[in-house]
Amino acid sequence: AQTVTQSQPEMSVQEAETVTLSCTYDTSESNYYLFWYKQPPSRQMILVIRQEAYKQQNATENRFSVNFQKAAKSFSLKISDSQLGDTAMYFCAFFNAGNMLTFGGGTRLMVKP
Amino acid sequence: EPEVTQTPSHQVTQMGQEVILRCVPISNHLYFYWYRQILGQKVEFLVSFYNNEISEKSEIFDDQFSVERPDGSNFTLKIRSTKLEDSAMYFCASSEERLPYNEQFFGPGTRLTVL
């Protein structure tokens, strides 16, 4: 079974600075997908970024980028130029088969003014 | 922008009672899901639903759980006889196509408290 681990329960960053959230996973599969979801306080989870394991190039979406290290089974999220609206719970998730996501425990990020 | 909605936002029930959690997926979506998150723990997959039947379910989704799409818009999760350990946040999601090619859109969740 796949497992996803987020080792940082809480993090904080000053506005305009850069922060990196960690995620590791365990799988014996070679082809899979990884996701980062953001859940603002009292709001829906929304997809931030997606990475396909067979693609070596790291995904980027505006201020959000990932560092995907397949051999190390690591998938970190970098948020550049942090904004107050980035304050949220961030979940790393894994997909390889079926129609379901396996989530990590989440990292609560606080962006301070 | 279309959103997945869930009602109620908070449900309190007595142990042994039946509860129905309701979700309205995005209108053109075909795949529906329930996840749950016990306080302080991971978000866990419960069940996926397509074409009026369950397509996948987890070990958590035992006989006390059922899902239904009673009309063209609602998607419900029923827990027949609630237990204390069913207290959790329950998230509904929907997608136009199967993962991973399409994004799953999540609702805001229903907090279920079993006393």
Side-chain angles (χ1 to χ4, degrees), chain A residues 34-80:
Chain A
L34 295 160
F35 305 82
W36 278 99
Y37 278 85
K38 169 186 176 181
Q39 186 182 33
S42 303
R43 299 287 305 277
Q44 280 92 324
M45 263 194 291
I46 55 174
L47 180 65
V48 174
I49 200 165
R50 169 171 53 198
Q51 174 78 41
E52 296 163 61
Y54 65 86
K55 288 188 177 179
Q56 293 197 342
Q57 187 172 7
N58 288 325
T60 299
E61 288 287 341
N62 302 314
R63 298 182 295 107
F64 297 88
S65 62
V66 299
N67 183 5
F68 174 49
Q69 302 287 330
K70 191 172 184 179
K73 296 179 181 174
S74 168
F75 181 60
S76 60
L77 174 70
K78 185 171 84 170
I79 306 174
S80 304

Side-chain angles (χ1 to χ4, degrees), chain B residues 51-82:
Chain B
N51 199 26
N52 280 321
E53 59 184 30
I54 291 172
S55 47
E56 283 113 358
K57 61 181 181 179
S58 70
E59 293 174 352
I60 303 167
F61 195 86
D62 61 22
D63 290 345
Q64 70 159 344
F65 290 94
S66 62
V67 288
E68 193 178 31
R69 189 155 161 80
D71 52 41
S73 59
N74 289 284
F75 178 53
T76 62
L77 174 70
K78 183 193 289 187
I79 309 175
R80 276 184 248 290
S81 177
T82 50

Side-chain angles (χ1 to χ4, degrees), chain B residues 13-16 36-39 41 44 46 60 62 64-65 79 81-90 112-115:
Chain B
T13 190
Q14 294 291 325
M15 190 170 58
R36 81 170 185 191
Q37 184 181 28
I38 295 172
L39 188 63
Q41 298 186 24
E44 302 171 293
L46 291 178
I60 303 167
D62 61 22
Q64 70 159 344
F65 290 94
I79 309 175
S81 177
T82 50
K83 305 172 191 168
L84 295 176
E85 54 265 37
D86 293 329
S87 293
M89 196 76 167
Y90 288 80
L112 176 65
T113 301
V114 182
L115 302 176

